[in-house]
Amino acid sequence: MAGFKKIFFLTLTVSAGFLAIFWRDTFDSELLSGSHVLLTGASKGIGEQLAYHYARFGANLVITARNEARLKQIEEKCLELGAKKVYSYAADMADPRNPGMVVQFALEKLGSLDFLVLNHVGYDPLMMWNGNAENTNWLMQVNFLSYVQLTAAALPALTKSNGSIVVVSSLCGKIAIPYAASYSASKFALDGFFSSLRQELALQGRDVSVTLCILGMIDTDSTKEKVKNLDVGLVTAYPVPESALSIIKGGAVRAREIYYPWWTTLLVSVRDWFPEMREKIIRSSFQEKSQEDGD
Ligand code: NAP
């Protein structure tokens, strides 16, 4: 175990050095000024900050989530921050009729679409899977199938504009952790679907970029609530506005994947070296404080 940790941290350090030397930020905010953006999960957390950043960059926005009152407040703030136009549409992505209606609304209001930013998420409490397959089915609709349905409805418009699909995923969609079986399944599904779609679009000569955003733990209210009964060991939560900005930049420069914080890319690149050891380390950093799941 000690040998593995040494190799692992040495790899992290060497790779960090390479990243620091060779990485260049090619983002230009002009790429977003006047762009047409449909953003989901915009009523709080990372989505709310995504909306504010797009607004500051002068985008035209359609924002969606379920909480209509909150969306209206965010709409007003976006206009104050510099958005050219902002419209909101309240919809529950658990209902498979809604993704198509959201895209139709966005196209009616904006006329075209440059960015489809898929960010909304239904969360389970962090707990062991309790055999409730119905709940997994619901989570797959909200976190995965609705992303596919939104994409299906938006693809013709994105193809016309040579636009971009930005998919917000998680380290849990690259490396599975305990207490998140259904969530992890939905995020792995996003990786499979959108990584395949990216290649199919290229094979068809359609210039629509697909950016998969891999996030570590981010300091949103939802995350704070979820992890309050767990000792998550070494893992720190990173700032919400900064994570949102990295997503926006990745989408704007048409990156295939972005990783935030930066070191998550290194975890993913070494994830298959010693799988059993990896799972042992992960398990040891998830010590439950509470005796009962979900307390
Ligand atoms: P959050 O604060 O809980 O916000 C989730 C958003 O999704 C809200 O706007 C919520 O609005 C909306 N939403 C939830 N259920 C919905 C439904 N059934 N239909 C439509 N909208 C729904 O989440 P977050 O932490 O910002 O996460 C944003 C993204 O980052 C997610 O894709 C998540 O997987 C990813 N991520 C987050 C973290 C983290 O630590 N925070 C880490 C890795 C990845 P309403 O309640 O108004 O519907």
Side-chain angles (χ1 to χ4, degrees), residues 158-179:
L158 291 169
T159 303
K160 250 189 217 162
S161 65
N162 294 340
S164 301
I165 304 168
V166 181
V167 181
V168 181
S169 188
S170 163
L171 199 50
C172 297
K174 292 281 190 187
I175 300 173
I177 61 165
Y179 306 109

Side-chain angles (χ1 to χ4, degrees), residues 41-47 65-67 91-94 119-123 142 147 168-171 183 187 215-218 220 222-223:
S43 66
K44 59 181 173 177
I46 296 167
R66 290 166 305 177
N67 187 336
D92 186 347
M93 293 296 162
N119 162 76
H120 63 276
V121 68
Y123 276 131
V142 176
Y147 279 44
V168 181
S169 188
S170 163
L171 199 50
Y183 175 74
K187 293 301 190 184
L215 305 183
M217 199 195 288
I218 310 300
T220 58
S222 304
T223 294

Side-chain angles (χ1 to χ4, degrees), residues 21 31 43 62 64 93 117 119 134 145 168 172 184 197 227 269:
I21 293 167
L31 293 167
S43 66
V62 167
T64 182
M93 293 296 162
V117 185
N119 162 76
E134 271 306 301
L145 288 173
V168 181
C172 297
S184 202
L197 180 67
V227 301
S269 59

Side-chain angles (χ1 to χ4, degrees), residues 125-130 179 225-231 286-295:
L126 271 180
M127 57 186 274
M128 277 197 202
W129 190 65
N130 60 8
Y179 306 109
E225 179 60 28
K226 269 171 53 146
V227 301
K228 71 178 183 204
N229 292 320
L230 289 173
D231 177 359
F286 270 85
Q287 288 145 4
E288 262 187 306
K289 277 184 176 161
S290 134
Q291 289 302 315
E292 277 184 46
D293 273 344
D295 274 0

